[in-house]
Amino acid sequence: MKGYKKIKLHGFNNLTKTLSFNIYDICYTRSAEDRQKYIEYIDEQYNSERLTNILQDVTKMIGAHVLNVAKQDYEPQGASVTILISEEELPDEALDASCNKGVLVNVPQHVVGHLDKSHLTVHTYPEYHPDNGLSTFRVDIDVSTCGQISPLKALNYLIDSFDSDIITIDYRVRGFTRDATGQKLFIDHNINSIQNYIAKRTLNKYQLIDVNVYQENIFHTKMMLKDFEMNNYLFEVNKDDLTPKEQREIMTKLKKEMTEIYYGRNIGKA
């Protein structure tokens, strides 16, 4: 952060910094046919190729280098991508034979999980309620780094990459490193809230709650959109096509769904 004096370290920075997202998009579909179209639309919009491009952009943004990419689109829906990264670019002769440096040729039809101290993963979960017309699209993202690179540099890019009604973010610093005198350092940067790193224009759009455990370097922020424009939550139908009664019923369902996800608990029948 600005004005923060750089610490001189002894050897490699062994701190692990992990940024985790759960991003939710809520939608109302009037019929079973529309619901299926919505699932297919989401599955196409956020397929493994697009998700890979997003994670590769994140890798560049935080100043890391791709060692390996594994990706998969699932049936009937959903996708996963895992990227193994390094802080410094490694020469080809130093790479494990299994690493592809992001060049995907003859991609196998399964997911290979390359997880190390530095990695990025994304998984999508399109789903729908059995009988009330609501569909929910969830994206889970984890960016875990060690050394000087920080996942916080990609925070706003990741928020802007998805249509997000609700976002839950966790940030944790684990382990320790040593300064030049041998003193243990359990964190190497100033932070008292994830909100410190979120763009002001985004903060203005969302209702936010923090739950932080400072002594453990654990930070948690929940975000829910303030403004509720009904047409933004309808698929294959417009607000003007609905009766006032239908609008009220749908509005109640949508707000209940968002509130339950935001607070993490069921609040009774709509």
Side-chain angles (χ1 to χ4, degrees), residues 12-218:
F12 184 73
N13 189 333
N14 288 311
L15 290 170
T16 299
K17 302 156 190 172
T18 301
L19 185 67
S20 299
F21 284 80
N22 298 117
I23 297 172
Y24 298 88
D25 178 67
I26 317 299
C27 183
Y28 176 80
T29 49
R30 202 176 190 183
S31 67
E33 182 182 359
D34 289 343
R35 181 178 66 199
Q36 185 58 40
K37 286 181 181 178
Y38 171 76
I39 294 293
E40 291 172 357
Y41 165 77
I42 285 293
D43 219 34
E44 178 60 30
Q45 281 289 100
Y46 297 104
N47 58 34
S48 65
E49 182 176 356
R50 182 180 178 189
L51 296 174
T52 298
N53 291 335
I54 290 173
L55 292 192
Q56 288 179 326
D57 286 345
V58 169
T59 302
K60 294 175 185 176
M61 209 166 289
I62 64 178
H65 300 272
V66 173
L67 296 181
N68 192 73
V69 176
K71 68 185 183 73
Q72 180 65 48
D73 290 298
Y74 298 111
E75 293 294 339
Q77 67 253 348
S80 294
V81 180
T82 298
I83 297 183
L84 177 67
I85 62 175
S86 63
E87 181 173 3
E88 302 294 336
E89 186 169 15
L90 298 180
D92 289 344
E93 59 270 20
L95 288 176
D96 188 278
S98 65
C99 291
N100 57 35
K101 296 188 75 171
V103 179
L104 298 175
V105 180
N106 297 323
V107 181
Q109 292 302 305
H110 59 275
V111 176
V112 181
H114 290 272
L115 303 181
D116 203 331
K117 290 183 179 178
S118 297
H119 64 271
L120 297 84
T121 64
V122 59
H123 307 281
T124 66
Y125 302 91
E127 65 90 48
Y128 56 86
H129 192 283
D131 53 28
N132 74 0
L134 294 180
S135 297
T136 304
F137 172 59
R138 186 178 104 233
V139 182
D140 290 354
I141 301 172
D142 289 285
V143 183
S144 185
T145 69
C146 61
Q148 297 182 29
I149 57 177
S150 172
L152 291 169
K153 291 181 179 178
L155 178 59
N156 290 294
Y157 171 76
L158 285 169
I159 291 173
D160 293 341
S161 293
F162 300 89
D163 294 324
S164 309
D165 297 315
I166 298 169
I167 308 171
T168 63
I169 311 172
D170 293 286
Y171 177 66
R172 182 177 183 182
V173 182
R174 294 176 292 172
F176 68 88
T177 193
R178 296 185 187 273
D179 67 14
T181 69
Q183 182 81 8
K184 293 184 185 70
L185 298 171
F186 296 94
I187 196 165
D188 62 353
H189 57 294
N190 287 333
I191 181 172
N192 54 40
S193 171
I194 295 170
Q195 295 186 43
N196 298 154
Y197 294 84
I198 299 176
K200 188 174 181 180
R201 58 179 167 76
T202 302
L203 292 175
N204 291 336
K205 289 167 55 179
Y206 285 87
Q207 171 186 332
L208 299 100
I209 295 176
D210 273 5
V211 181
N212 301 317
V213 186
Y214 302 108
Q215 65 271 27
E216 299 294 337
N217 295 323
I218 297 174

